[in-house]
Amino acid sequence: MNSVSAAGAVRPEWIGAAPHEELERGARPVLPAEDPFYEPPAGFEHAAPGTVLRSRDVELGFLGLIPQRVRATQLLYRTTDMNGLPQATVTTVLVPAGHSPTRSATWCPTSAPSTR
């Protein structure tokens, strides 16, 4: 899954082509420690900060039970820690039902940075 650049450095092929998981309605949530979505792909540190490494649609529910009228997408993306080292973390982008994602969106961090 890696290619070699003209300089001989390994460059992961997935950079710029992040996989997306469609919504699996009614699926039970998995704890982040047990969810492979939170595991950054090999070579993620070669991506520029802000690069989306993978994404997926998720369902949100008030108290985990009452469905909300919102489209939610989780993004695993590459960032940098306070020491300048590459990290991967997750955020959830929320778009209210009936709105365009280009006109209104909110986000909230959903996990601590990963060093895996």
Side-chain angles (χ1 to χ4, degrees), residues 66-89:
I66 303 168
Q68 301 298 293
R69 293 180 38 91
V70 65
R71 187 172 67 209
T73 303
Q74 287 186 324
L75 306 173
L76 175 75
Y77 66 97
R78 196 266 202 205
T79 189
T80 305
D81 72 9
M82 65 182 192
N83 297 312
L85 299 173
Q87 296 286 303
T89 195

Side-chain angles (χ1 to χ4, degrees), residues 32 38-40 76-77 79 87-91 109-116:
Y38 291 87
E39 184 70 33
L76 175 75
Y77 66 97
T79 189
Q87 296 286 303
T89 195
V90 173
T91 191
T110 57
S111 73
S114 170
T115 56
R116 296 187 262 177

Side-chain angles (χ1 to χ4, degrees), residues 15-32:
I15 294 177
H20 180 79
E21 298 174 25
E22 295 299 322
L23 178 63
E24 187 179 327
R25 294 219 177 268
R28 306 256 323 158
V30 179
L31 293 173

Side-chain angles (χ1 to χ4, degrees), residues 44-55:
F44 82 95
E45 60 277 351
H46 299 291
T51 299
V52 174
L53 307 173
R54 80 173 46 101
S55 64

